[in-house]
């Protein structure tokens, strides 16, 4: 996909390493296809290694929207947007939260919030499912009780999420109260509903925190949210020999 323009915009906010954040905004539009993505750029003058690899990796991932050839042949316009924000930057890893949406034909648009984690030394992406055996579907056939164990795991994650939600005075879920069946739910009732929304360990945040996220069906996509919890709350799910354990223990 041809990049038509590149605009670098200086942000006023300072990063954790006291460097100013820079955002790259990329126009990927073509005929019948409006597409723009942006991401916070890691400074190539930073002591951390492989930042150029990470910058390219983030751009490659968030640029994956609609097929411009399909858009060209469609009678309706397609669109795609994505914004990647850095939520962790340290000597071990870099974490991003990506807000993305597109319309690629069909009955409805799509909306996503997802997380990316990169090894700061190599620039390579970290596959969180590989780091967490209980959500590694590639190895599901190797474990006879995988799906039963997955159900238990998701219920346990749902309980952790419910415990880390910080309600306001009149809302059960600080802006997400319409995403659940009723207001005024008990913690047990909230946990039960969260467990149905496929909670996973999705990424890493600053201060050795782990991101837990839910993945509701597309009709509830606006209800996607995540919480950050200390590693100690989820360490039992992560292999002791994994790179995550070495970073966060």
């Amino acid at each position: 996909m041809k990049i038509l323009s590149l605009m670098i915009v200086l942000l006023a906010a300072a990063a954790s390493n006291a460097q100013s954040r820079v955002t790259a905004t990329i126009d990927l539009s073509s005929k019948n296809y409006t597409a723009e993505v942006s991401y916070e750029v890691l400074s190539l003058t930073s002591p951390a290694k492989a930042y150029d690899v990470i910058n390219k990796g983030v751009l490659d991932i968030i640029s994956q929207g609609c097929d411009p050839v399909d858009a060209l042949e469609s009678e309706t316009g397609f669109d795609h947007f994505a914004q990647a924000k850095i939520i962790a930057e340290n000597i071990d890893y870099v974490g991003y939260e990506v807000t993305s949406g597109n319309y690629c034909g069909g009955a409805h648009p799509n909306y996503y919030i997802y997380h990316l984690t990169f090894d700061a030394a190599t620039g390579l992406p970290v596959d969180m499912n590989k780091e967490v055996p209980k959500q590694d579907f590639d190895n599901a056939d190797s474990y006879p009780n995988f799906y039963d164990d997955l159900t238990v795991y998701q219920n346990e994650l749902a309980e952790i999420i419910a415990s880390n939600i910080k309600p306001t005075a009149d809302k059960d879920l600080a802006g997400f109260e319409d995403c659940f069946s009723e207001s005024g739910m008990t913690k047990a009732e909230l946990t039960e509903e969260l467990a149905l929304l496929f909670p996973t360990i999705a990424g890493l945040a600053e201060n050795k925190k782990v991101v837990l996220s839910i993945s509701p069906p597309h009709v509830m996509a606006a209800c996607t949210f995540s919480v950050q919890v200390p590693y100690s709350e989820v360490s039992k799910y992560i292999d002791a020999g994994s790179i995550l354990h070495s970073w966060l223990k």
Side-chain angles (χ1 to χ4, degrees), residues 133-147 150:
K134 288 185 180 296
Q135 61 187 40
D136 185 1
F137 285 93
D138 288 341
N139 288 326
D141 293 338
S142 303
Y143 300 96
N145 299 318
F146 178 83
Y147 290 99
L150 178 66

Side-chain angles (χ1 to χ4, degrees), residues 19-110:
Q19 295 177 345
S20 296
R21 286 284 182 235
V22 175
T23 294
T25 301
I26 318 296
D27 186 350
L28 302 171
S29 301
S30 59
K31 186 175 181 180
N32 289 351
Y33 184 41
T34 301
E36 183 176 281
V37 300
S38 63
Y39 65 100
E40 289 189 320
V41 180
L42 290 163
S43 171
L44 301 186
T45 61
S46 169
K49 301 177 183 178
Y51 275 13
D52 53 341
V53 178
I54 297 176
N55 288 330
K56 182 180 185 303
V58 172
L59 177 58
D60 288 346
I61 292 170
I62 67 175
S63 297
Q64 295 174 19
C66 305
D67 186 329
V69 175
D70 290 345
L72 185 64
E73 297 173 351
S74 174
E75 295 181 358
T76 60
F78 286 7
D79 63 71
H80 171 70
F81 79 89
Q83 182 177 35
K85 177 183 178 182
I86 295 172
I87 60 173
E89 180 187 353
N90 55 56
I91 194 171
D92 293 318
Y93 60 86
V94 178
Y96 285 83
E97 181 173 86
V98 182
T99 302
S100 176
N102 56 46
Y103 176 73
C104 303
H108 58 82
N110 302 294

Side-chain angles (χ1 to χ4, degrees), residues 182-220:
E182 58 183 75
S183 61
M185 286 190 293
T186 65
K187 179 183 174 182
E189 291 170 336
L190 178 59
T191 298
E192 184 177 358
E193 294 206 12
L194 286 169
L196 299 175
L197 300 178
F198 196 65
T200 59
I201 294 176
L204 301 184
E206 202 56 89
N207 301 318
K208 298 189 175 183
K209 287 190 174 182
V210 177
V211 178
L212 306 186
S213 181
I214 61 168
S215 302
H218 68 81
V219 293
M220 294 175 59

Side-chain angles (χ1 to χ4, degrees), residues 150-177:
L150 178 66
T151 298
V152 173
Y153 166 68
Q154 289 180 322
N155 276 279
E156 291 173 348
L157 281 194
E159 185 172 358
I160 295 172
I161 293 173
S163 297
N164 281 274
I165 289 171
K166 296 178 173 56
T168 59
D170 60 348
K171 294 181 179 180
D172 296 307
L173 193 52
F176 290 92
E177 69 281 359

